[in-house]
Amino acid sequence: MKIVVLGTGYVGLVTGVCLAELGHHVVAVDVDVEKVAVLNSGKSPIYEPGLDALLDKNVSVGRFVATSDLEIAVIGADISIIAVGTPTREGHIDLSSIRDVSTQLASVLHQCSDFHVVCVKSTVLPGTTENVVGTILAHASTRQLGIDLGLCMNPEFLAEGTAVQDFMNPDRIVIGATDQKTFDLVSDMYSILGRVDFVNTSPVTAEISKYAANSFLATTISFSNEIANLCSVVGDVDVVDVMAAVRLDRRLTPLLPEGRIWPGLMSFLHPGVGFGGSCFPKDIRALVAFGSDIKSPMPILQAVLETNDNQWLLTVKMLTEELGELRGKKIGVLGLAFKPGTSDIRMSPSINILRELWASGANLIAHDPVAISNMKLELDGLPIEYSETFNDFIFDCDAIVLVTAWPEYKELENLICDRNIVVVDGRRFLDKDCFARYRGIGI
Ligand code: UGA
């Protein structure tokens, strides 16, 4: 098939490159001409394990090409996938890129006659696919839905850091199509992936499924953090022990004769400094605002956000309790990415932590294996020292704060040992018994 992907952010790029790897001819469209040039040289502008190699391979064999010319890309294509950003502005989802790209698509589709499917992959609020994208396409092109135009919403369930692997081994593919012909074409696009659970549904069900999936995971995190915060006030209790007991419920971790099954969800029942990234904070905020607009309040999700918005502050509180006045104290911040396995720092708790520590007058040094350059851009002007390694500077610090659980930070257990350095573990990742001065969320 010839497939056009509109937008080359995380979702668009991973989708486009993986579809090319499956054997399709993919044209990726982006307004950023510099990015287009980088992509056509076979290099990925983002850090995502496995993506560079696949991009390079598929550019070399001619199955993946990037362009800024939407018209040339779309003529003769079977499917156009909309993967542009849907940021939050003033608490509400901003659909301007979705509208722009739909308008451009409509004017090109006006000129050609073969059946063409427009597939929305960006996360959009209920009703957007049909009422915004569908309406624009129907008004501005001469096409008729179900006749020579197909419309569907096909959410992505990729997690950063494992996005390529997630795409190639999907747990489900949700296709919210307006008609059977569209469902058949879009499911064909994925057919080479082999056995996978397809959900053949309506666009609005697909739209809400995406929000519901992310809201559920984020709720689990804030739930764990709320219990953690309770434990830290009760005293003489560690939330890690509490959660270990909760997880042993056979309805969470089924007990089979051959042993227990440990679903991936169990990693979300774990305390920490809260969730970040480009998805959970944005999606949940957008859904809460949508619920309020349609007079269907979402108090649980509001509380999920509130707990999360305050969670990072606990690291600063623990540092202050241990060190007193932070002015002039040297503090090492370990981990800048919003989670391990990515260089993405969007909505990372480390941003708030660094800003707050700086405002308190602390001297800051920070480490991350891959996200330093992104944080330098984000906190341009703040006097933070960045280091490519951490096992040298930690000994000069009064305290270390672990914000992202990169595996290499396990080394701290041997390095710091019984030294008089405060260790604040924002992810409950380290063995508390290995340190003389350990503080963790939920103890
Ligand atoms: C998330 C979902 O997991 C994907 O299924 C979804 O497709 C994606 O959003 C999206 O909407 O595009 P992602 O944001 O890449 O993926 O990362 P997660 O691994 O889910 O982590 C999200 C945040 O939760 C991170 O800040 C992570 O540190 C935090 N987290 C995760 C916790 O605080 N505790 C946990 O136990 C697990």
Side-chain angles (χ1 to χ4, degrees):
M1 278 185 204
K2 182 180 169 193
I3 296 162
V4 178
V5 178
L6 303 153
T8 60
Y10 270 96
V11 174
L13 187 56
V14 172
T15 303
V17 171
C18 290
L19 285 171
E21 178 65 13
L22 296 185
H24 299 297
H25 286 272
V26 175
V27 185
V29 181
D30 204 292
V31 284
D32 183 340
V33 285
E34 276 175 34
K35 201 176 187 186
V36 164
V38 172
L39 290 172
N40 283 329
S41 72
K43 293 199 172 56
S44 168
I46 54 168
Y47 171 82
E48 185 61 42
L51 187 62
D52 252 318
L54 283 194
L55 175 64
D56 189 41
K57 174 181 161 194
N58 284 286
V59 167
S60 320
V61 298
R63 279 201 304 259
F64 181 97
V65 65
T67 176
S68 291
D69 193 328
L70 184 140
E71 185 174 337
I72 290 181
V74 172
I75 288 176
D78 302 289
I79 301 179
S80 292
I81 298 176
I82 298 182
V84 293
T86 50
T88 312
R89 297 222 191 285
E90 289 158 17
H92 284 73
I93 192 166
D94 176 0
L95 292 178
S96 50
S97 299
I98 295 270
R99 285 201 179 86
D100 285 353
V101 94
S102 304
T103 308
Q104 290 171 45
L105 264 177
S107 71
V108 180
L109 292 176
H110 197 62
Q111 307 166 32
C112 30
S113 55
D114 294 337
F115 183 71
H116 189 93
V117 167
V118 174
C119 174
V120 178
K121 204 169 252 301
S122 309
T123 300
V124 290
L125 286 170
T128 307
T129 302
E130 285 175 286
N131 302 337
V132 177
V133 180
T135 305
I136 293 174
L137 291 173
H139 278 167
S141 80
T142 45
R143 289 176 179 250
Q144 265 186 293
L145 267 183
I147 308 291
D148 51 4
L149 178 67
L151 182 62
C152 84
M153 203 280 156
N154 169 220
E156 57 82 20
F157 296 103
L158 314 174
E160 287 184 27
T162 54
V164 171
Q165 198 187 314
D166 293 346
F167 188 99
M168 293 301 184
N169 308 285
D171 43 15
R172 78 286 217 194
I173 294 178
V174 177
I175 302 174
T178 48
D179 56 89
Q180 189 61 37
K181 195 169 162 189
T182 300
F183 174 82
D184 292 343
L185 192 70
V186 177
S187 51
D188 264 4
M189 178 174 82
Y190 292 111
S191 57
I192 200 162
L193 288 170
R195 209 206 76 77
V196 48
D197 286 326
F198 280 99
V199 180
N200 180 357
T201 189
S202 66
V204 72
T205 305
E207 288 162 339
I208 299 185
S209 309
K210 167 69 189 187
Y211 280 104
N214 275 1
S215 298
F216 174 64
L217 294 173
T219 301
T220 312
I221 296 171
S222 277
F223 163 75
S224 309
N225 286 337
E226 195 170 284
I227 299 288
N229 300 345
L230 179 89
C231 290
S232 64
V233 176
V234 169
D236 207 16
V237 52
D238 184 342
V239 69
V240 167
D241 302 332
V242 172
M243 283 307 170
V246 172
R247 281 194 215 103
L248 291 177
D249 182 326
R250 68 175 77 234
R251 288 162 297 186
L252 298 176
T253 51
L255 193 50
L256 304 181
E258 53 277 24
R260 251 180 221 278
I261 297 178
W262 286 95
L265 177 64
M266 290 309 102
S267 73
F268 286 76
L269 270 181
H270 187 78
V273 282
F275 55 79
S278 63
C279 305
F280 288 180
K282 165 183 80 80
D283 292 351
I284 290 141
R285 238 170 264 286
L287 195 62
V288 167
F290 176 75
S292 156
D293 289 349
I294 63 162
K295 308 272 178 289
S296 177
M298 308 193 81
I300 294 181
L301 293 184
Q302 255 166 343
V304 165
L305 288 173
E306 203 180 308
T307 297
N308 198 60
D309 288 347
N310 295 322
Q311 200 63 15
W312 62 272
L313 261 173
L314 295 175
T315 57
V316 181
K317 182 170 172 272
M318 288 188 274
L319 284 169
T320 312
E321 284 165 2
E322 289 298 319
L323 301 175
E325 168 75 24
L326 295 182
R327 186 162 301 280
K329 300 281 170 23
K330 182 156 184 180
I331 299 176
V333 175
L334 298 184
L336 304 173
F338 82 95
K339 66 172 189 176
T342 176
S343 62
D344 195 345
I345 58 153
R346 284 176 289 176
M347 302 301 287
S348 173
S350 59
I351 299 173
N352 283 332
I353 293 171
L354 283 166
R355 283 215 171 99
E356 184 68 21
L357 291 176
W358 170 76
S360 310
N363 297 328
L364 298 173
I365 179 158
H367 169 269
D368 189 284
V370 287
I372 288 179
S373 53
N374 284 339
M375 191 58 84
K376 278 185 181 166
L377 285 176
E378 174 72 27
L379 296 182
D380 188 25
L382 285 200
I384 298 167
E385 195 183 331
Y386 293 92
S387 172
E388 299 291 332
T389 53
F390 64 93
N391 37 13
D392 38 9
F393 73 71
I394 52 172
F395 302 113
D396 302 328
C397 291
D398 297 295
I400 299 292
V401 190
L402 187 148
V403 185
T404 316
W406 285 101
E408 48 264 58
Y409 295 151
K410 268 281 175 199
E411 258 185 78
L412 292 170
E413 291 170 0
N414 298 320
L415 290 170
I416 293 189
C417 259
D418 49 6
R419 290 189 189 230
N420 190 32
I421 300 171
V422 173
V423 173
V424 171
D425 185 352
R427 295 287 176 186
R428 296 308 309 273
F429 178 65
L430 304 168
D431 180 351
K432 63 182 177 187
D433 296 329
C434 292
F435 303 93
R437 298 181 72 186
Y438 178 91
R439 293 294 303 268
I441 288 183
I443 305 183

